Amino acid sequence: MLREQFNLAQGTAGFSALGCLYGAQLVGLLVGGYASDRWSQRNPRARIIIPAVAILLTAPAFWLTGWFPLMIFTLLSLLLWGLALGFLGSNTMPIVCLVVDARYRATAIGLLNCITAICGGLAIYGVGALRDAHIATHLIMTFAGVGVILCGSFLW
């Protein structure tokens, strides 16, 4: 999308997208872990609430990216999604420990990773199919935003 929409070279587009996403994810891992450790001392659900709120706050950025084709909104979307992924990543194992019996935690994490990989692959395939069907980018990003809202709501 960055390459096509903003006429960037392939390398520049890839570095911009991945640099924003993974840089923000690194920050999200550190900040999300620290914040949930502190808040969970007073509220045991903090480890679930923090990533859920982060994911829900990210959804409007997808809509902005699709409907207002400005580089700033695209980068904002990548930054917010990276932060949300970091917040979720730092809390995944603690969430599993909160809701799954100790005897089944490794199975739960394995199943969670399996489902995550399958859903991620299906999402990439789905976006590719939508692009091949010449569905407008703003509709694809709106659909992604709805998916993000659903994911955040399920986690909540």
Side-chain angles (χ1 to χ4, degrees):
M1 185 177 138
L2 286 171
R3 186 182 63 76
E4 290 176 12
Q5 200 160 10
F6 303 114
N7 297 318
L8 297 176
Q10 186 75 22
T12 304
F15 183 75
S16 298
L18 295 177
C20 284
L21 182 70
Y22 291 126
Q25 188 173 4
L26 176 65
V27 172
L29 285 165
L30 297 172
V31 172
Y34 180 80
S36 67
D37 282 345
R38 295 290 175 239
W39 191 21
S40 66
Q41 294 172 1
R42 293 184 307 278
N43 182 354
R45 293 193 63 215
R47 297 187 191 284
I48 298 171
I49 294 170
I50 287 177
V53 169
I55 290 169
L56 289 170
L57 291 175
T58 300
F62 282 91
W63 182 80
L64 284 171
T65 298
W67 287 90
F68 300 99
L70 299 172
M71 181 69 111
I72 188 71
F73 291 137
T74 302
L75 295 177
L76 175 68
S77 177
L78 288 165
L79 288 171
L80 289 175
W81 185 243
L83 280 172
L85 287 176
F87 281 31
L88 181 62
S90 64
N91 286 290
T92 300
M93 180 61 85
I95 290 170
V96 169
C97 290
L98 283 174
V99 298
V100 176
D101 186 281
R103 296 174 294 170
Y104 305 111
R105 287 182 185 156
T107 301
I109 287 293
L111 186 61
L112 181 68
N113 287 336
C114 178
I115 291 170
T116 300
I118 290 169
C119 289
L122 289 174
I124 291 169
Y125 178 80
V127 169
L130 292 172
R131 296 278 293 161
D132 289 346
H134 303 291
I135 304 296
T137 302
H138 68 274
L139 294 176
I140 295 171
M141 294 306 289
T142 299
F143 181 71
V146 170
V148 169
I149 289 172
L150 289 174
C151 289
S153 298
F154 289 148
L155 183 57
W156 184 266

